[in-house]
Amino acid sequence: MHIGCPKEIKPQEFRVGLTPAAAREAIGHGHSVTMQTGAGDGAGFTDDDYRAVGAAIAGTADAIFAEADMIVKVKEPQAVERKQLREGQILFTYLHLAPDPDQTRDLLNSGVTAIAYETVTNANGGLPLLAPMSEVAGRLAPQVGSWALQKANGGRGVLMGGVPGVGPAEVVVIGGGVVGTQAARVAAGMGADVTVMDRSLPRLSWLDDVYRGTFKTRYASADATADLITRADMVIGAVLIPGAAAPKLVTKAQLSTMKPGAVIVDVAIDQGGCFETSKATTHEDPIYEVGGVVHYCVANMPGAVARTSTLALGNATMPFMLALADKGWRQACADDPHLLEGLNTHAGKLTNYAVGVALGLDVISPALVVKH
């Protein structure tokens, strides 16, 4: 199979879909790999690094899209890229279709077989291709939130860990999954007073048992959320429903109950965000203010630490990429029901139920698509 990896063109996106190590593995399996020139620069990989493992280098993205049987990326294809996709081609990348009707329509019109990293599952019910970026984003959230809390950036001017005689920042993390756990760990490590909220009592029990009071836990009722955000200096949104749009857990009206200069970090923004006032921002212009509350809603947070993120993502995606290349998408998905969960579109048909519900579109079972 001919595998192609274009340079990411989303603003301030420095990650790359294939590491030299992944390219070496694919070539060792008998496949050919073509990288767009400069695709790895942002993550510290040169064209020569890819040439050294046997990959070809193309001067333009057009050549990649025209010739490759499988396109491997990081972020969802932008409008100009979607025009180059075609039926019979595999697209393997993050998609986040639920809040993006334009992208969904374009992928369906192209006929491409699109497999989304964020809906591939594992035997434990986890999301193995989302987890490494969730870990990165979770650990970044308190870091960028503490920057936004600085007075010069519009925040309250509160130091995360406080100083002797002055209390620390109060941080509320909504969601106790991978993102929320990592955010809580780092925020607590910075000295903040941290509370993690979740609706799963087993998860809250696990957090208490494992972290032994490093941070507090609360059941995520509407009343508890409304209460805690009034006291918070920082609220981190870390709620995920696989494949679906994120629920809006804090309304615009509730902003008036928050402290002036408090900070919201919405890590769920790729899925539409879990605050009613959230809108996607970029690393170049990451924050805005609504009702006196600073919002940080960068849609590709892990891109800020592109080297770490690319290596972590490459480790996770490589086995699935090789299975798709070795067997073809149909056999690979037939053999692996967890990879099958990643199938979002094929030949003009939508195959992810959560996306269909979010966008009001008809859905066909991915299992039926594989069989026929």
Side-chain angles (χ1 to χ4, degrees):
M1 183 177 286
H2 186 179
I3 303 167
C5 181
K7 184 179 178 69
E8 298 293 327
I9 61 172
K10 188 164 186 173
Q12 305 298 300
E13 180 51 72
F14 304 108
R15 291 172 290 179
V16 61
L18 283 176
T19 63
R24 182 195 296 271
E25 291 281 347
I27 292 165
H29 280 233
H31 308 293
S32 60
V33 174
T34 302
M35 305 292 300
Q36 184 180 349
T37 184
D41 287 352
F45 301 117
T46 68
D47 288 352
D48 284 342
D49 291 331
Y50 289 101
R51 290 190 183 99
V53 300
I57 304 296
T60 66
D62 292 350
I64 301 284
F65 283 95
E67 298 173 9
D69 302 307
M70 176 164 62
I71 301 291
V72 179
K73 283 177 44 58
V74 178
K75 291 304 294 178
E76 71 280 358
Q78 303 301 289
V80 66
E81 296 174 312
R82 299 197 294 265
K83 293 177 181 177
Q84 301 180 78
L85 296 169
R86 65 180 187 275
E87 188 165 351
Q89 194 172 52
I90 301 168
L91 173 66
F92 192 38
T93 189
Y94 288 116
L95 293 176
H96 300 290
L97 294 181
D100 195 343
D102 291 341
Q103 184 195 177
T104 304
R105 180 196 63 241
D106 289 349
L107 293 183
L108 292 173
N109 288 341
S110 74
V112 72
T113 299
I115 298 173
Y117 294 162
E118 74 274 7
T119 61
V120 173
T121 60
N122 63 21
N124 299 320
L127 303 170
L129 305 190
L130 188 62
M133 295 304 93
S134 296
E135 290 169 344
V136 171
R139 294 186 182 196
L140 271 177
Q143 181 176 314
V144 298
S146 66
W147 172 83
L149 264 178
Q150 295 176 30
K151 194 66 179 178
N153 300 319
R156 286 175 49 74
V158 173
L159 182 66
M160 287 286 276
V163 292
V166 180
E170 294 192 40
V171 177
V172 174
V173 181
I174 306 178
V178 176
V179 171
T181 301
Q182 298 304 317
R185 286 181 59 193
V186 171
M190 296 171 78
D193 182 349
V194 182
T195 301
V196 178
M197 309 185 73
D198 201 277
R199 285 186 175 271
S200 168
L201 291 175
R203 182 65 181 182
L204 293 177
S205 178
W206 183 86
L207 290 170
D208 275 343
D209 288 344
V210 171
Y211 292 100
R212 297 183 177 276
T214 300
F215 43 78
K216 294 170 286 190
T217 59
R218 286 281 297 275
Y219 183 76
S221 67
D223 282 348
T225 302
D227 172 50
L228 286 173
I229 66 171
T230 65
R231 292 184 262 145
D233 298 296
M234 182 189 306
V235 181
I236 298 172
V239 175
L240 173 71
I241 300 174
K248 306 300 182 189
L249 301 177
V250 177
T251 67
K252 184 176 182 179
Q254 287 177 306
L255 292 189
S256 64
T257 70
M258 296 180 67
K259 299 173 182 177
V263 169
I264 282 172
V265 180
D266 197 341
V267 188
I269 193 64
D270 273 327
Q271 294 293 119
C274 54
F275 302 93
E276 187 179 9
T277 48
S278 292
K279 60 181 182 181
T281 61
T282 67
H283 292 291
E284 190 173 29
D285 188 15
I287 58 175
Y288 62 93
E289 178 267 328
V290 178
V293 175
V294 180
H295 292 55
Y296 182 101
C297 302
V298 174
N300 59 331
M301 286 177 63
V305 285
R307 179 83 178 186
T308 296
S309 297
T310 294
L311 289 168
L313 182 61
N315 291 340
T317 59
M318 188 191 303
F320 296 96
M321 179 269 293
L322 291 174
L324 290 167
D326 290 348
K327 302 177 180 180
W329 76 269
R330 194 179 298 273
Q331 190 60 53
C333 288
D335 290 347
D336 185 352
H338 303 297
L339 180 58
L340 178 60
E341 292 291 325
L343 185 65
N344 276 218
T345 74
H346 170 69
K349 297 180 177 65
L350 184 65
T351 57
N352 183 279
Y353 178 75
V355 174
V357 170
L359 298 179
L361 298 174
D362 292 336
V363 177
I364 184 171
S365 164
L368 289 177
V369 169
V370 167
K371 290 180 180 178
H372 303 289

